[in-house]
Amino acid sequence: MTGTVRPSTADDFDTALKDGGASGDSPLSRLKLIRWSDFSLVPVILALMLIGFIVSPVFLTSDNLISVVQQSSELSLLVLGQALILICGRMDLSLESTIGIAPVVAMWLVLPPDGGRFAGLGLLPGWSAIPLCLLAGLAVGAVNGFLMLKLRVNGFIATLGMLTMLRGLHIGITEGKSITDVPESFRYLGKSEWFGVPAAVWICLVLFAAGGAALAWLRHGRALYAIGGNPEAARAAGIRVDRVTWIVLAIGGLLAAFAGILYTGHYGAVAATQGDGWIFQVFAAAVIGGISLKGGRGTLFGALTGVLTLQLVVNVMTLGGVPALWNQFLNGAIIIVALVISRFASGEKQD
């Protein structure tokens, strides 16, 4: 009958996954989501560790290596969120502002108006700071989804505008100052250690493992590859493309807010420039980790190795006496080199 929607089947879903560059439904094919190419940065990481030891014997000390993974934890959550969004065929530039504005909104609502350098509203108790921060990040991602999926606004321009607006809101609320009188409960995850390793590191590993398992084994997780690779085929297979994409964008904002909690706890304050310029590092880590900017390809393991590679490069440069002013140049150069290598390795044009 005309207008009847045919129910989706397992075959439809597998076809959509194939069209999107992902695997089918058998256990063997699911394992193909972990490709040998995702380990391509492991030799680079080992080489960087050798170079670091040659540059300075301090490099291989436990204190330095723990510092590297601790500093990687906040960035890695942004990369995790961005990787999921990119696999889904979208991008979100506003993550670098969300890591700052989400803690600011939480502090604004819980800190008293006369309690210190920062005058808050004092509307809610201190224990609600973490839920408020996460809710703020979730709201940012949801608004981005509304702009892209309901209003059909260009995603790049929409999230660029959101980035700028949130950065301005951050500066406006804090008057360009850092918030140092942060509730102790808000600092716990960022400053605590579990089994001799920063809690933030354990949290990030668990989140990456959960995300990787979802992408490889869960139907809705694997649907991201179908959506990113061929959204029309995904719709034909019965996947609710807009709904899934909207959820992924909201999760990206949530992860950015969580990164803000870890960063604030680590340094004991919400910095006035928190997250400023991080989006370049986020894209650099994702690209060199094998996440396709065209959508439908890449794994979270590759993205994680991209984060570690970037942080090791920065650490080796620091120990070698190279000024930090060169970091942004290096991040841009890494992105360009990774794009060129990806272009000729895949044989596909990158429009």
Side-chain angles (χ1 to χ4, degrees):
M1 183 173 62
T2 304
T4 301
V5 178
R6 181 173 58 87
S8 62
T9 65
D11 290 340
D12 293 331
F13 186 73
D14 295 343
T15 300
L17 287 172
K18 182 178 180 181
D19 291 341
S23 302
D25 211 25
S26 68
L28 181 60
S29 62
R30 290 177 190 178
L31 292 177
K32 292 179 182 178
L33 289 172
I34 304 175
R35 303 165 303 172
W36 285 111
S37 61
D38 295 321
F39 293 85
S40 60
L41 287 180
V42 173
V44 177
I45 291 173
L46 295 176
L48 285 171
M49 295 181 71
L50 176 61
I51 294 171
F53 177 73
I54 295 173
V55 169
S56 173
V58 176
F59 177 81
L60 288 182
T61 61
S62 59
D63 288 344
N64 182 65
L65 293 179
I66 289 177
S67 176
V68 170
V69 294
Q70 168 85 64
Q71 293 171 3
S72 300
S73 60
E74 299 98 11
L75 177 63
S76 68
L77 288 187
L78 293 187
V79 174
L80 173 58
Q82 191 70 261
L84 293 173
I85 295 170
L86 286 173
I87 289 173
C88 205
R90 302 282 180 167
M91 67 172 58
D92 185 354
L93 303 180
S94 68
L95 294 181
E96 81 159 40
S97 293
T98 306
I99 190 178
I101 191 59
V104 166
V105 169
M107 296 302 103
W108 189 41
L109 293 174
V110 303
L111 293 179
D114 55 353
R117 293 178 56 194
F118 176 73
L121 298 177
L123 299 177
L124 298 167
W127 62 263
S128 64
I130 289 180
L132 285 171
C133 181
L134 296 176
L135 186 60
L138 194 67
V140 171
V143 171
N144 285 335
F146 178 79
L147 293 173
M148 294 184 203
L149 303 170
K150 294 300 181 182
L151 301 185
R152 301 299 176 183
V153 175
N154 180 274
F156 179 87
I157 302 300
T159 56
L160 178 62
M162 184 66 72
L163 180 156
T164 306
M165 184 180 71
L166 295 180
R167 180 63 61 193
L169 183 61
H170 184 153
I171 295 172
I173 293 176
T174 63
E175 298 180 348
K177 302 174 183 177
S178 297
I179 303 175
T180 56
D181 46 342
V182 178
E184 192 62 27
S185 61
F186 205 82
R187 302 184 184 192
Y188 173 75
L189 292 176
K191 72 174 186 178
S192 298
E193 290 189 358
W194 297 342
F195 307 105
V197 177
V201 175
W202 292 114
I203 291 170
C204 289
L205 289 176
V206 168
L207 289 176
F208 266 87
L215 289 178
W217 297 97
L218 295 184
R219 183 181 181 88
H220 288 87
R222 292 182 294 122
L224 300 190
Y225 289 99
I227 294 171
N230 191 331
E232 295 307 317
R235 285 192 178 91
I239 299 173
R240 298 187 175 183
V241 172
D242 285 358
R243 177 182 293 184
V244 173
T245 303
W246 205 335
I247 291 173
V248 170
L249 288 166
I251 290 175
L254 182 68
L255 289 170
F258 199 4
I261 294 172
L262 298 183
Y263 187 94
T264 301
H266 182 195
Y267 294 100
V270 183
T273 58
Q274 189 158 304
D276 192 15
W278 280 34
I279 199 63
F280 300 108
Q281 299 177 62
V282 169
F283 275 104
V287 169
I288 66 175
I291 303 295
S292 173
L293 296 179
K294 297 177 67 176
R297 296 184 185 277
T299 65
L300 298 187
F301 178 81
L304 183 59
T305 60
V307 176
L308 292 176
T309 300
L310 280 186
Q311 292 301 311
L312 286 174
V313 168
V314 171
N315 187 250
V316 170
M317 290 176 61
T318 300
L319 293 176
V322 178
L325 296 174
W326 287 95
N327 289 350
Q328 188 170 344
F329 164 80
L330 184 63
N331 290 335
I334 289 174
I335 291 177
I336 292 174
V337 171
L339 285 174
V340 172
I341 293 175
S342 174
R343 162 68 180 89
F344 288 99
S346 64
E348 298 177 355
K349 293 191 295 183
Q350 297 173 346
D351 297 325

